[in-house]
Amino acid sequence: MLVAGENAIPLAPLVRLCHHGRAPAVVAALWETRGAKFVTLAQRLGIAPEGLSRTLAALEDLGLVMRNPGYGHPMRPEYLLAPDGESAAPAVRDLVRRFERAGIGALARRKWTAPTLAAAGLGATRFSGFMSILPGVTPRALTQTLAAIEVAGLVERRVIAVTPPRSDYRLTRRGGRLASASRSAAEALALIVED
């Protein structure tokens, strides 16, 4: 059953975080290191400087990351988590770690993977259910994401023989663990990031 009404978890903040594929990893790295220099983040995460600049700018816009106001000394970090970032970081770090342990890093960096898993964790099973709670997803993007997470063994697709035929998507045990982490990150972000 799909969670709705006043108890619904808005997925828009998670979608905004995942829009830049490496953003969750940047938040996790800043949480683990208690701040870092730009070049250190780029090397640690294997991100090109241009991509990291865009990601950090997006995270600043979300209010999760900030430049260190005391930066200038060679030993001080250049970027820190903002207070809202500190609140959300444990759940985001857990999400990143679970994806890493599952061995699906490239899939985790796709914009719609975590939000789609969160939607499945909230009870979405049909294409229309996913479309209704994933803000901004296109049918093509959702189709590709569902196919990719099915191939990765995170959901099972079951075709129901009705006219017209329809498909239901159910989380596997492995997908359920990732859906739980995605839902937790969505909850943490929903408390602090405005739509």
Side-chain angles (χ1 to χ4, degrees), residues 1-181:
M1 171 179 264
L2 193 60
V3 177
E6 55 183 73
N7 294 327
I9 300 167
L11 296 181
L14 181 62
V15 170
R16 289 180 61 200
L17 175 71
C18 294
H19 181 76
H20 292 275
R22 297 292 187 127
V26 170
V27 170
L30 289 172
W31 171 259
E32 292 168 355
T33 61
R34 293 296 179 222
K37 294 184 185 213
F38 182 92
V39 76
T40 305
L41 276 175
Q43 290 172 349
R44 178 181 174 145
L45 299 173
I47 304 174
E50 304 80 33
L52 182 56
S53 290
R54 285 190 303 272
T55 300
L56 286 167
L59 288 169
E60 285 183 78
D61 287 346
L62 284 172
L64 300 177
V65 170
M66 65 182 190
R67 289 182 181 270
N68 186 351
Y71 181 67
H73 187 278
M75 299 303 290
R76 289 190 182 134
E78 190 175 353
Y79 289 92
L80 301 169
L81 289 173
D84 284 348
E86 289 281 342
S87 297
V92 174
R93 188 185 91 195
D94 181 55
L95 175 66
V96 170
R97 283 190 170 176
R98 287 192 195 204
F99 273 110
E100 287 171 354
R101 281 195 299 262
I104 53 172
L107 181 59
R109 288 188 294 274
R110 292 171 105 176
K111 176 180 179 178
W112 293 105
T113 300
T116 301
L117 287 169
L122 292 172
T125 58
R126 296 183 57 195
F127 193 87
S128 60
F130 286 101
M131 288 293 296
S132 70
I133 64 171
L134 287 171
V137 71
T138 64
R140 182 175 188 263
L142 181 57
T143 298
Q144 290 174 340
T145 302
L146 288 169
I149 63 176
E150 180 186 8
V151 168
L154 305 179
V155 295
E156 293 175 343
R157 179 176 172 247
R158 184 178 60 151
V159 178
I160 299 170
V162 294
T163 305
R166 73 168 203 250
S167 296
D168 278 354
Y169 296 89
R170 303 282 178 189
L171 289 165
T172 62
R173 175 176 283 155
R174 182 177 181 217
R177 288 190 293 271
L178 295 175
S180 174

